Amino acid sequence: MSRESLRQTFGEDAELYDRVRPTYPPRLYDDIARLLGNPRRPRVLEIGCGTGQATRPMLERGWSVKAVELSPDLGRVARAKLPELEVITAAFESWPLPAEKFDLVLSATAFHWIDPEVRVPKSADALRPGGLLAIVSTHHIAGGSEQFWMDVRDCYRRFTDDADETPMLTAEEVPQEDSVEIDASGRFGPVVVRQYEWEQSYSAAEYLDLLSSYSGHRALTSERRHRLYECVSALINAAGGSVTKRYLTRLTAANRLNQPLASS
């Protein structure tokens, strides 16, 4: 399945996505606020708001948020939850930027779905000079129910074609790809990286619901998905009925320069 087809799968069950997708550590927003400085009511453009997991805390801080969301169904749920939010249903790549410039462009666990040729330069174009680009990524890292994460790989070997055989990384080992891309653009000042590690426990049913919100699992045939889920569920129940997943939330941020850096 193509990248474009995969990113379309998120809206197939918007209510499930809203119910199971994790939110973000409060310290993330404290750090973004410090990096923004002191705009009284920052103007925010959010790329890929989903159903508002990262949006609500910004609105609660009094920030003015405009969101661009590809999925009409995810956007519908976000509007219903957050009536003060303006959601534009569009692909960020083709959406015409408004004349207004933003203090903050933020994308939470969505930036990697945007065309790499477009995402950083267009974000820079959307920002006022000195405005902040904040990319929030989420990674599954070593820790939590470690034996389960080793054992579950066999389920993926048996029932999928793309089992991940790479060792589980620590937070320090996760590549900083967003930082490299921002630096290479020449449109931003020094990159700031902040990391937040946390854990979430799931029952078997809760974890299967979470899996069903991921594009790769939704793209499986119903037969393969059913057999994979049986295998995963059996492992969780054999381990005592719950599994703990360790997450890394990473903030990669940089301020837009007044002028692009000269090419060397």
Side-chain angles (χ1 to χ4, degrees):
M1 184 175 284
S2 71
R3 177 191 183 91
E4 182 61 30
S5 298
L6 280 173
R7 77 173 188 167
Q8 295 277 356
T9 64
F10 292 109
E12 291 176 351
D13 191 339
E15 283 73 17
L16 172 70
Y17 184 100
D18 183 55
R19 177 163 53 83
V20 302
R21 279 302 179 106
T23 55
Y24 299 92
R27 288 184 298 141
L28 167 73
Y29 302 94
D30 296 337
D31 285 339
I32 291 173
R34 280 190 285 270
L35 292 168
L36 273 171
N38 295 309
R40 184 164 54 184
R41 190 167 186 247
R43 300 182 306 280
V44 182
L45 173 63
E46 184 179 1
I47 304 170
C49 69
T51 59
Q53 281 78 3
T55 319
R56 185 189 293 276
M58 293 190 286
L59 293 171
E60 289 173 345
R61 287 174 175 264
W63 300 358
S64 172
V65 183
K66 183 193 298 278
V68 179
E69 170 53 53
L70 178 66
S71 165
D73 287 324
L74 294 180
R76 169 183 54 78
V77 173
R79 288 188 197 95
K81 287 170 50 180
L82 306 167
E84 66 271 48
L85 175 65
E86 180 183 357
V87 183
I88 298 110
T89 302
F92 178 68
E93 295 92 332
S94 57
W95 176 60
L97 290 175
E100 65 176 311
K101 297 297 182 182
F102 296 90
D103 300 301
L104 170 65
V105 171
L106 178 140
S107 186
T109 322
F111 207 65
H112 61 289
W113 288 108
I114 308 300
D115 183 345
E117 297 296 319
V118 174
R119 55 197 178 199
V120 170
K122 190 166 184 176
S123 295
D125 291 342
L127 285 164
R128 61 166 174 80
L132 186 73
L133 171 61
I135 303 170
V136 182
S137 57
T138 303
H139 308 270
H140 179 194
I141 60 172
S145 303
E146 292 186 330
Q147 188 61 50
F148 169 81
W149 300 117
M150 293 173 58
D151 295 343
V152 79
R153 292 184 176 206
D154 185 57
C155 297
Y156 285 86
R157 293 185 194 103
R158 292 165 61 192
F159 302 118
T160 75
D161 297 322
D162 58 352
D164 185 0
E165 301 293 347
T166 59
M168 196 73 74
L169 301 178
T170 65
E172 292 71 26
E173 293 170 330
V174 176
Q176 296 191 16
E177 296 171 351
D178 293 326
S179 178
V180 172
E181 188 173 343
I182 292 171
D183 282 337
S185 75
R187 302 289 302 275
F188 292 89
V191 172
V192 174
V193 177
R194 299 284 185 268
Q195 300 197 147
Y196 321 88
E197 295 182 47
W198 52 283
E199 293 186 346
Q200 178 72 47
S201 294
Y202 301 92
S203 68
E206 288 168 341
Y207 188 62
L208 296 185
D209 278 347
L210 178 67
L211 293 183
S212 292
S213 76
Y214 294 150
S215 59
H217 292 77
R218 299 195 69 85
L220 293 171
T221 65
S222 57
E223 172 65 18
R224 279 192 166 195
R225 188 166 55 247
H226 175 71
R227 296 178 71 185
L228 172 66
Y229 285 9
E230 281 188 331
C231 185
V232 173
S233 181
L235 281 177
I236 295 174
N237 289 328
S242 69
V243 62
T244 299
K245 187 171 183 178
R246 187 162 185 82
Y247 288 98
L248 166 67
T249 297
R250 174 181 284 161
L251 168 65
T252 306
N255 295 99
R256 204 203 96 171
L257 297 169
N258 289 343
Q259 297 292 335
L261 293 174
S263 1
S264 53

